[in-house]
Amino acid sequence: MKPIWIVDDDQSIRFVLEKALAREDLPVRSFTNSRDVLAALEDDEPQVLVSDIRMPGGSGIELLSKVKTRFPGLPVIIMTAYSDLDSAVSAFQGGAFEYLPKPFDLPKAVELIRRAVDESVREDVSDERLQQMPEMLGQAPAMQDVFRAIGRLSQSNVTVLITGESGSGKELVAQALHKHSSRSHGPFVAINTAAIPKDLLESELFGHERGAFTGAQTMRRGRFEQADGGTLFLDEIGDMPFDLQTRLLRVLSDGQFYRVGGHHPLKSNVRVIAATHQNLEDRVRQGVFREDLFHRLNVIRLRLPPLRERSEDVPALARFFLQKSAKDLGVDAKRISEPALARLMAFDFPGNVRQLENICHWLTVMAPAQVIESKDLPPELMGVKSEVSMPPLVAAVTEPTPAVAAAASSGMVAAHEGAAGVNGDLTSSQGPGRLAADVIARSGVAAPPSATVASSWLSDLERDARVRLESGATDVWDALTRQFEAQLIHTALEITRGRRIEAAQKLGIGRNTITRKIQELGLDD
């Protein structure tokens, strides 16, 4: 493993961290200023960089910017005094992994560095896999069956029919069949038979002679001629017009065809691979697809599974598409957190792999930080519940109180088993929470434990708000919202033993947000 670089002009800080990391069998290299670090980067690279903000000869923020330009995937931890917290938070926009406040608790500092090391190693492994990803379509058992079929068909010219839902990658399988066949030196020509008007499709497939129809100013070679010696991929074959199916059947039978308006037969040495998202047997029964053409195409059938049947492939595909989008847009590739990946894996993906690729492109443009959290995912995924998602939310059936509305708008409303009320000492059983429980009871469905908890604290919240409002207080919104947020964050930190990143993940908020809230609410005191 590469060493961890410590950058600080304070000798005592360097000494303490060197000794603590050495006890963890982690290699360390220390520097007193950013100039030496930049010089060392010419010949070496760290596994993790830990840098102070204020140093002679250049700040840690400037160093972060320069390092990220050269090594975008390198985790950088910024050390800062409490007064520099705002600067540290702003550093996250430059791609910092985390901040380490001074004076720091040594075991927590080592734990944070260890997490950064794990992240760095994971990214290194992902980068190695990504170099092979264009050749790989997935590791799920169903995809392995497809790979084995491609291998068996590599030296055959037999016609193949690929079935699968839209967006599942049928053309990629066709390209793989071509690439690994004896025809790989020839052209791969693809045509979507559903995307071309009926009147033009015949000319697209078979070409036309000059003067064959109005606008045919010159002779044109069709796709069968263009694919000579290679592979012709006919996508969405189930939508081909019935009369053209007869001409296609003849080409598949004897290899001969005529250009539109032509009188001399042409012969083309082409391997045909067809694909459809429709059930061709049903199309045959409906009388819109020729049975003899179906049997001619259905020599070897490959079923491509939808993405929801191979969710274990989602993480690798997501990381690949994030890298691909970043390269296309000329920006640094973003990383995705484990909770966000879990939410992606729980999604059904009706648009399959194509939809996942589009989501990753959206995230590359729209996600605010370098690490994509669950809250950064697009709206269609926000309703998906995963194993790491927050406890279920039980909504009141009346208008929410201001504090609840404020908390909900920040994405932090969650019922927690055994949680105290907003003030911890309120016991009223009247209000919107009670009404929600009554509705559940009248429905005849047993209320879950979370519903009971939610009804209790919502009742307490309503009572406290009523008392404050009737007393003439003018800061009710701010006061109750602060209590609500403080209690949530305090509970999450208690459960995670002070680990802020983990607490933020459990709450469903970003680490920038939890850092800012801890400062605003005075929870560091």
Side-chain angles (χ1 to χ4, degrees), residues 69-207:
T69 300
R70 298 179 59 180
F71 304 100
L74 176 66
V76 178
I77 297 172
I78 296 294
M79 294 186 290
T80 173
Y82 184 80
S83 60
D84 288 327
L85 185 57
D86 289 340
S87 298
V89 172
S90 67
F92 285 129
Q93 301 302 318
F97 177 79
E98 187 53 280
Y99 82 95
L100 184 60
K102 294 180 181 180
F104 50 76
D105 180 72
L106 193 57
K108 289 184 178 179
V110 173
E111 179 189 2
L112 175 59
I113 294 172
R114 174 68 75 177
R115 288 206 305 270
V117 169
D118 293 342
E119 172 75 13
S120 178
V121 171
R122 186 161 54 245
E123 288 299 315
D124 288 344
V125 172
S126 297
D127 288 343
E128 293 175 4
R129 292 175 178 172
L130 287 172
Q131 293 175 2
Q132 307 173 29
M133 268 301 292
E135 261 307 298
M136 298 171 59
L137 297 176
Q139 295 296 323
M143 289 307 300
Q144 293 299 312
D145 291 340
V146 174
F147 297 154
R148 281 191 285 271
I150 292 173
R152 295 189 189 103
L153 293 167
S154 61
Q155 299 304 314
S156 171
N157 286 324
V158 67
T159 302
V160 178
L161 176 63
I162 305 171
T163 61
E165 296 179 5
S166 295
S168 56
K170 297 186 287 294
E171 184 167 349
L172 292 177
V173 174
Q175 290 173 345
L177 284 168
H178 170 74
K179 182 176 180 179
H180 294 282
S181 74
S182 57
R183 295 174 172 267
S184 59
H185 64 280
F188 175 85
V189 178
I191 181 171
N192 187 326
T193 59
I196 300 175
K198 175 183 176 181
D199 295 339
L200 297 179
L201 183 57
E202 183 177 18
S203 175
E204 284 291 325
L205 286 172
F206 306 110

Side-chain angles (χ1 to χ4, degrees), residues 82 85 99 101 493 500 515 517-519 521-525:
Y82 184 80
L85 185 57
Y99 82 95
L493 289 172
R500 294 183 179 182
T515 298
K517 289 293 183 183
I518 287 173
Q519 182 187 14
L521 299 170
L523 298 182
D524 261 341
D525 297 341

Side-chain angles (χ1 to χ4, degrees), residues 402-404 406-407 476-486 517 521:
V404 175
V476 178
W477 181 289
D478 289 339
L480 291 183
T481 300
R482 286 177 64 86
Q483 290 182 25
F484 180 86
E485 293 177 340
K517 289 293 183 183
L521 299 170

Side-chain angles (χ1 to χ4, degrees), residues 233-307:
F233 176 54
L234 302 175
D235 199 8
E236 300 302 350
I237 191 71
D239 293 308
M240 176 175 277
F242 195 83
D243 52 349
L244 281 184
Q245 294 175 25
T246 304
R247 291 203 63 182
L248 177 60
L249 177 63
R250 180 171 182 82
V251 179
L252 295 177
S253 300
D254 57 20
Q256 290 190 348
F257 63 94
Y258 291 84
R259 295 193 189 112
V260 177
H263 303 287
H264 302 288
L266 301 174
K267 197 171 184 66
S268 184
N269 177 20
V270 171
R271 180 191 190 182
V272 172
I273 299 175
T276 181
H277 72 282
Q278 303 190 59
N279 187 317
L280 289 188
E281 287 93 336
D282 287 346
R283 301 281 287 175
V284 170
R285 283 192 290 270
Q286 294 165 11
V288 294
F289 198 86
R290 293 183 59 105
E291 184 174 7
D292 46 3
L293 177 59
F294 167 70
H295 291 303
R296 176 69 65 174
L297 293 171
N298 194 38
V299 179
I300 299 292
R301 186 188 300 204
L302 288 182
R303 176 187 177 270
L304 195 56
L307 189 54

